[in-house]
């Protein structure tokens, strides 16, 4: 029996004992995970620095801190989430009571990416644990140090029949996807998401896909341009732009173009100094392949600012590019780096139509004081989530669900939504036996009027 098959078999046997169904036991596992993370913070932050050049501040704020918040949120609300929830019964079923319960799915697979290797592995795993599942984790092969640290940590904290880690590349992915799971949670690119979806379809396995796309920023002339620039550059350069919800391109009202560009330059200089490549706060690109891909994008427009590179450390300074053709690679592929294309528009309707005619993005950001425009962007454009007058900060609220739509993903998680993703909501009706509503039984002659009233 192959190692993966044996692991799944042992997990199914353990799940069948009912241990994971006990809420108190689930809480204890979450506390164990938190203590383990706290005891290994230095090693985990060092691994994030090795893989991506993240400072301790950024590593903690965007990875460990988010994971801690997820654990705490699940611990705080788990009793309520797992309790029976009464719903109204109909007259047709009188006398009875109806309710739903959240039931764990069984054995689930979490496949995570390299850009936030700790957070995007552990956050969905926490929801799966809280929901009462056994979990197989498949971290990215690119974030080698963090993936190894995660495996070592989980091996120390949990038995392999409950939580197990499998390392490797595409071959391991294919091997894992050849088995039946009770849910597959994948975070990554749309192209690989399609492969996951095709594999899951063979066994009718439900999936959650957290993908990406080109997240636009619309900037109107009436906003606070200095604040907008600062928040755009912060969101764009977080993790050197290797963030699925990073601002991917700017749509700027034409009259605001020149002053906004000056503010963007000022924001870059304030955050990363006159020589960003030597800033301790600018992470690096994950590997040579992605570094080369990003450099090729420079050819799709005119370099307005930045553009300095350091091949030895795989760093790219924050870069602004203009005169970009809408059908170029810079505007059709997710950038995933600190390169910011800037386009202009004359009217809000032009910007609105530009976004509406493209694939639904994972995030959208609007900087504007116009309430009508804010309302149109929130209610009419289709995208995963976003901010008004900010960027990326929607992820800082653990109570907001996170997920894409269509090409940017399907399904969502974080807090209660994550618990629901890894649970089955079972509907139960308990019928009483001391009274019988015989209208449902044949013969039906003369009962039509009564049944209509009971359904109303």
């Amino acid at each position: 029996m192959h190692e993966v098959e044996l692991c799944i078999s042992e997990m199914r046997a353990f799940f069948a004992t009912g241990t994971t169904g006990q809420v108190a036991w689930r809480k204890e596992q979450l506390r164990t995970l938190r203590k383990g993370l706290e005891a290994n913070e230095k090693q985990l932050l060092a691994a994030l620095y090795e893989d991506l050049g993240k400072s301790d501040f950024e590593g903690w704020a965007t990875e460990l801190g988010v994971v801690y918040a997820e654990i705490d949120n699940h611990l705080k609300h788990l009793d309520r989430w797992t309790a029976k929830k009464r719903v109204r019964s109909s007259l047709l079923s009188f006398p009875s009571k109806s309710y739903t319960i959240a039931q764990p799915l069984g054995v689930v697979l979490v496949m995570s990416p390299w850009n936030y290797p700790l957070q995007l592995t552990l956050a969905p795993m926490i929801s799966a644990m809280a929901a009462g599942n056994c979990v197989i984790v498949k971290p990215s092969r690119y974030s080698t140090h963090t993936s190894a640290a995660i495996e070592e940590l989980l091996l120390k904290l949990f038995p392999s029949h409950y939580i197990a880690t499998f390392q490797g590349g595409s071959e391991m992915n294919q091997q894992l996807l050849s088995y039946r799971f009770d849910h597959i949670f994948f975070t990554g690119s749309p192209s690989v998401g399609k492969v996951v979806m095709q594999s899951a379809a063979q066994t009718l396995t439900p999936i959650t896909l957290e993908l990406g796309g080109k997240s636009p920023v619309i900037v109107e002339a009436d906003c606070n341009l200095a604040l907008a620039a600062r928040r755009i550059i912060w969101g764009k350069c977080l993790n050197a732009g290797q963030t699925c919800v990073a601002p991917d391109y700017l749509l700027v009202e034409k009259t605001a173009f020149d002053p906004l560009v000056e503010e963007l330059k000022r924001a870059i200089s304030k955050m990363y100094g006159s020589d960003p490549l030597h800033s301790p706060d600018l992470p690096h690109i994950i590997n040579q392949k992605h570094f080369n891909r990003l450099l090729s994008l420079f050819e799709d427009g005119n370099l307005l600012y930045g553009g300095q590179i350091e091949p030895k450390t795989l760093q790219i300074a924050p870069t602004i590019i203009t005169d970009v053709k809408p059908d170029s690679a810079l505007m059709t592929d997710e950038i995933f780096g600190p390169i910011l294309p800037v386009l202009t528009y004359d009217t809000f309707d032009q910007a609105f139509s530009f976004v509406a005619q493209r694939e639904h993005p994972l995030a959208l950001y609007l900087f504007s004081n116009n309430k009508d425009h804010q309302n149109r962007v929130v209610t009419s454009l289709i995208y995963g989530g976003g901010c008004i007058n900010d960027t990326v900060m929607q992820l800082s609220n653990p109570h907001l669900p996170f997920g894409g739509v269509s090409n940017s993903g399907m399904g969502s998680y974080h807090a209660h939504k994550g618990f629901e993703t890894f649970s089955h909501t079972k509907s139960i009706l308990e019928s009483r036996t001391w009274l019988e509503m015989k209208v449902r039984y044949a013969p039906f002659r003369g009962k039509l009027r009564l049944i209509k009233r009971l359904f109303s």
Side-chain angles (χ1 to χ4, degrees), residues 2 35 66 78 80 86 97 128 257 266 290 321 353 384 393 409 428 436 439:
H2 189 273
K35 289 175 184 175
V66 176
L78 195 54
R80 180 165 57 85
R86 288 288 297 269
K97 72 173 181 178
F257 175 79
R266 190 173 291 114
H290 284 278
I321 293 182
S353 296
M393 287 301 288
I428 303 292
E436 176 87 281
V439 66

Side-chain angles (χ1 to χ4, degrees), residues 28-294:
E28 189 56 39
Q29 308 318 302
L30 292 174
R31 293 190 190 99
T32 296
L33 177 60
R34 200 186 205 290
K35 289 175 184 175
L37 290 167
E38 290 170 345
N40 290 272
E41 270 197 11
K42 281 188 178 180
Q43 297 93 312
L44 292 168
L45 290 172
L48 290 168
Y49 179 79
E50 288 295 324
D51 286 329
L52 291 153
K54 294 187 182 188
S55 66
D56 284 357
F57 177 91
E58 185 170 330
W60 198 97
T62 65
E63 304 249 17
L64 271 168
V66 176
V67 171
Y68 288 146
E70 281 292 304
I71 294 174
D72 294 344
N73 200 298
H74 281 75
L75 284 171
K76 182 177 181 181
H77 299 290
L78 195 54
D79 286 326
R80 180 165 57 85
W81 294 345
T82 54
K84 289 181 181 179
K85 292 178 175 55
R86 288 288 297 269
V87 299
R88 289 182 60 186
S89 294
S90 69
L91 281 174
L92 191 61
S93 63
F94 180 84
S96 66
K97 72 173 181 178
S98 302
Y99 58 89
T100 62
I101 59 167
Q103 185 176 37
L105 298 173
V107 178
V108 303
L109 172 64
V110 172
M111 305 175 76
S112 58
W114 51 262
N115 60 323
Y116 287 85
L118 189 71
Q119 182 212 139
L120 296 180
T121 300
L122 298 186
M125 189 191 82
I126 287 162
S127 291
M129 292 169 64
N133 300 283
C134 298
V135 190
I136 287 182
V137 169
K138 168 55 181 67
S140 172
R141 64 172 171 165
Y142 291 148
S143 50
T144 53
H145 297 86
T146 310
S147 295
I150 289 171
E151 181 178 21
E152 183 181 350
L153 177 65
L154 296 181
L155 196 59
K156 283 194 296 187
L157 298 180
F158 306 112
S160 60
H161 60 252
Y162 173 48
I163 306 288
T165 306
F166 284 91
Q167 304 278 12
S170 57
E171 287 185 6
M172 177 54 72
N173 289 344
Q174 291 170 9
Q175 198 170 93
L176 287 165
L177 291 171
S178 70
Y179 294 98
R180 183 182 69 82
F181 288 91
D182 298 293
H183 195 93
I184 295 174
F185 190 103
F186 170 80
T187 306
S189 67
S191 59
V192 182
K194 291 175 183 178
V195 175
V196 174
M197 194 170 185
Q198 286 174 341
S199 299
Q202 304 307 308
T203 52
L204 294 179
T205 300
I207 59 173
T208 301
L209 298 178
E210 298 298 342
L211 308 177
K214 301 200 58 76
S215 299
V217 184
I218 301 173
V219 182
E220 296 205 278
D222 70 348
C223 75
N224 183 329
L225 293 177
L227 182 64
R230 189 159 61 244
R231 292 178 174 179
I232 290 167
I233 293 302
W234 171 79
K236 183 62 176 177
C237 295
L238 199 67
N239 198 27
Q242 300 166 117
T243 304
C244 57
V245 292
D248 199 274
Y249 64 94
L250 299 191
L251 290 170
V252 183
E253 191 170 356
K254 193 168 286 185
T255 57
F257 175 79
D258 288 332
L260 178 67
V261 165
E262 290 307 308
E263 293 295 348
L264 290 171
K265 293 177 184 178
R266 190 173 291 114
I268 293 169
S269 180
K270 273 196 167 185
M271 289 185 209
Y272 301 105
S274 58
D275 185 6
L277 296 179
H278 287 89
S279 168
D281 299 317
L282 182 69
H284 62 71
I285 305 306
I286 184 69
N287 57 29
Q288 190 70 50
K289 172 187 170 184
H290 284 278
F291 183 76
N292 293 342
R293 177 187 61 82
L294 288 167

Side-chain angles (χ1 to χ4, degrees), residues 403-435:
V405 54
S406 189
N407 194 66
S408 58
M410 61 178 68
S412 57
Y413 73 119
H414 285 181
H416 189 212
K417 204 65 181 177
F419 175 83
E420 288 182 329
T421 290
F422 290 102
S423 302
H424 167 62
T425 301
K426 182 179 285 183
S427 301
I428 303 292
L429 183 141
E430 289 186 12
S431 189
R432 304 295 188 233
T433 58
W434 50 267
L435 182 66

